[in-house]
Amino acid sequence: MTSVTSLPASEQEGARTSPEDPEKLEDPEKATLSTDPSETSLPNNKRVEQPTKINWLLTCVGLYLGALLYGLDTTVAATVQASVYEELGNLQKLPWVGIGFPLGSVAVILLIGKLYDTFEIKWLIIGSVTLFEAGSALCGAAPTSNALIVGRVIAGMGGAGMYIGALNYISIFTTSMQRPIYNALIGLCWGTGAILGPVVGGAFSDSSAKWRWAFYINLPLAAVVSPLYFLNFPRYNPQPEHTALEKFKQIDWLGAFLNASTFVLFILILSFQGPIWRWAAPGSIVLWVLFGLSLISYGLQQTFSILTSPERRLFPIDFLARRTLLLMFFATSSAAAATSVTLYYVPLFFQFTKGDNALEACVRLLPFIVPFVFFVMFSGGLLPVVERYAPWYFPAGVLMIVGGALMYKVSPNTYTAAIYGFEILIAIGTGLVFQTGYAVVAAKVPAHRVAASIGFINIAQIGSICITLAIAGSIFGNLGFVKLEHVLTGYGFTDSELRSALAGSFSPVFQHGDARARKLAIEAVVSTMGTSFALVFVAGAVTLVSAFCMRWEKLGLQTTAGG
């Protein structure tokens, strides 16, 4: 059982800056964490249930499983798209099966972060799980591609709530010394899920259960652990002095709308350009104008706190003036971008070049899976020991640059062992820094800004995945079509048949074309995939530049036993 207590002020004070000290609050380099094991991020005079060790252990089981499911659904579409197209059609909407989930997440991440900073967190995370399951059920039962996309967006919104909820639970119920390990475990579970996503999708797509069970599988898994959420999760109310209506009025709803519209319009542009509208078409121009207006409006609204206040605005815009926080944002975005490109396009490479089915192609990700998982834990475990964060980012940037450059040059004749080696380089680079930013930013802000810092890095991580997949998909769809059109001139294939060649081997280009046409098509598709890996190279360069700009400082973290 858990008991309701108010933590004494003596247990909440340390080197972390106090909200009552305005001078220190504005000094970004004085906001660091104490090494006192009793220090937590709980503000004074807040009601909190202190969990027993067994309850906290069971809570962590629920949190980590939620992170795993969130990661799994982020990438599960990578190997079900071909099966979805065969059953539901609408090739031009196919990228949305993959993009819809991270788009739903990034559209509401900052809003959800504010909700966790305002309302009772236990009921928020239960609501998030419910939303995630509802979206998954809709995906599994989807009669049309539109229904599937809507389900993916809903599941993405719920998944974001699960993921942010897990990070908030950790920031509230662990000490500064424990937090890097717990954050690393969240990253490990998310990363494991993200890596298993294509495997699960491929396994179901190639089985008698078919692709729908790649989404239905979330339902029994969540049902098994749902009692943990209701019975074991401790409660924490960040604002017990306010009513629900007062809290509702605090939320920056205009900022939430503009944030969502900006991301959605940008992804629409990248998805529609080429397959549906030409770049100079009226529809494209209208979307670009709407996106520009939304982005400018969002920037102005947040800068001048229109219909909100500086304390309640959605985006922590003051973080952009903080050198360390901004560099963590860039570096985390880069690691997420490199990870997402690798997870999506390595299986696709083997499907085209080796004729692998979805499951076989995903097994080829093992050289990425193992080192990625190991180095996420390795960096998280050693961060409190080394105490300096900058050293992780130098090798990470170099390895991403090298791995991305090598993948950029792949061809259908590249040795399989060489591809495995390139995967390992990218995995080590991304694993070293994939989750590190959460611990660093939490150590650089005062206690009452920890939730905002989590949302800030969430935007970097999940937002980067969404935008990167959209950019890579646009490159793959548009450049791939141009290359196929060039090499297959005279073979009589229609535009729709050429575009279908980018979706898989069921295309008429591969089913009915002669041997030379198939060879030319594969070379064109693989060349286009290589271009997508230029994003990994760029991500590595951004990480390396960020590393050179980071301060060589200690965070003052030490390792303690979890619990």
Side-chain angles (χ1 to χ4, degrees), residues 407-412 474-491 493-495 497-499 501-502 509-510 516-534:
M407 285 299 297
Y408 179 83
K409 301 296 290 183
V410 296
S411 73
S474 183
I475 292 172
F476 190 63
N478 287 283
L479 182 60
F481 173 77
V482 170
K483 290 188 176 185
L484 286 169
E485 189 178 41
H486 174 71
V487 300
L488 296 179
T489 299
Y491 282 90
F493 293 113
T494 65
D495 285 359
E497 288 174 335
L498 291 176
R499 292 195 185 279
L502 298 169
V509 173
F510 299 107
R516 176 169 171 74
R518 289 195 295 271
K519 181 176 181 295
L520 292 172
I522 290 173
E523 289 175 348
V525 170
V526 171
S527 174
T528 306
M529 285 184 208
T531 304
S532 297
F533 276 93

Side-chain angles (χ1 to χ4, degrees), residues 26-49:
E26 297 302 318
D27 186 347
E29 299 313 314
K30 291 181 182 179
T32 57
L33 287 177
S34 168
T35 57
D36 179 359
S38 66
E39 180 267 328
T40 73
S41 61
L42 288 169
N44 292 335
N45 304 318
K46 297 297 184 286
R47 303 295 290 180
V48 60
E49 285 184 336

Side-chain angles (χ1 to χ4, degrees), residues 221-562:
L221 290 175
V224 169
V225 296
S226 59
L228 298 180
Y229 289 92
F230 287 96
L231 301 177
N232 293 96
F233 271 46
R235 296 173 59 186
Y236 171 65
N237 187 352
Q239 298 185 27
E241 67 277 8
H242 294 295
T243 66
L245 181 59
E246 289 172 338
K247 294 177 181 180
F248 186 85
K249 291 179 179 178
Q250 291 180 17
I251 303 300
D252 179 12
W253 295 109
L254 177 58
F257 171 78
L258 292 173
N259 174 75
S261 65
T262 300
F263 274 103
V264 170
L265 286 168
F266 184 65
I267 302 305
L268 279 173
I269 291 169
L270 293 177
S271 300
F272 283 4
Q273 303 293 261
I276 298 178
W277 293 327
R278 294 190 178 276
W279 288 90
S284 298
I285 295 173
V286 169
L287 281 179
W288 277 112
V289 170
L290 290 175
F291 166 70
L293 290 174
S294 181
L295 180 62
I296 293 171
S297 299
Y298 184 43
L300 292 174
Q301 188 263 341
Q302 292 294 292
T303 300
F304 297 104
S305 303
I306 299 172
L307 297 183
T308 186
S309 66
E311 297 77 21
R312 296 173 180 173
R313 60 189 171 193
L314 197 70
F315 188 85
I317 204 165
D318 56 302
F319 286 0
L320 298 179
R322 302 272 294 272
R323 172 178 166 182
T324 300
L325 271 60
L326 189 60
L327 292 173
M328 287 298 110
F329 187 96
F330 289 148
T332 302
S333 297
S334 299
T339 300
S340 59
V341 170
T342 306
L343 288 174
Y344 262 80
Y345 288 96
V346 165
L348 202 59
F349 171 84
F350 285 109
Q351 284 180 292
F352 276 101
T353 61
K354 307 300 181 185
D356 289 356
N357 61 34
L359 181 58
E360 291 169 338
C362 290
V363 172
R364 310 264 196 179
L365 272 172
L366 282 173
F368 183 86
I369 293 172
V370 176
F372 177 85
V373 168
F374 175 81
F375 280 97
V376 165
M377 290 304 301
F378 177 78
S379 61
L382 281 188
L383 182 61
V385 178
V386 177
E387 296 187 343
R388 300 184 189 276
Y389 55 89
W392 303 112
Y393 290 86
F394 287 98
V398 171
L399 290 170
M400 280 189 271
I401 289 173
V402 175
L406 292 171
M407 285 299 297
Y408 179 83
K409 301 296 290 183
V410 296
S411 73
N413 299 319
T414 303
Y415 290 116
T416 299
I419 301 295
Y420 291 162
F422 306 160
E423 287 183 58
I424 291 172
L425 293 176
I426 299 173
I428 297 174
T430 55
L432 282 172
V433 297
F434 186 81
Q435 205 75 357
T436 306
Y438 287 105
V440 175
V441 297
K444 300 294 291 183
V445 300
H448 70 289
R449 299 299 303 279
V450 169
S453 72
I454 289 173
F456 186 68
I457 297 299
N458 266 320
I459 280 285
Q461 192 178 76
I462 308 303
S464 177
I465 291 172
C466 180
I467 293 173
T468 300
L469 290 179
I471 293 173
S474 183
I475 292 172
F476 190 63
N478 287 283
L479 182 60
F481 173 77
V482 170
K483 290 188 176 185
L484 286 169
E485 189 178 41
H486 174 71
V487 300
L488 296 179
T489 299
Y491 282 90
F493 293 113
T494 65
D495 285 359
S496 62
E497 288 174 335
L498 291 176
R499 292 195 185 279
S500 71
L502 298 169
S505 59
F506 55 83
S507 166
V509 173
F510 299 107
Q511 296 289 339
H512 307 298
D514 61 30
R516 176 169 171 74
R518 289 195 295 271
K519 181 176 181 295
L520 292 172
I522 290 173
E523 289 175 348
V525 170
V526 171
S527 174
T528 306
M529 285 184 208
T531 304
S532 297
F533 276 93
L535 296 173
V536 178
F537 178 91
V538 172
V542 171
T543 302
L544 190 58
V545 171
S546 298
F548 277 108
C549 296
M550 290 176 187
R551 292 182 172 87
W552 197 264
E553 62 182 350
K554 291 185 177 182
L555 290 178
L557 303 176
Q558 296 177 7
T559 304
T560 67

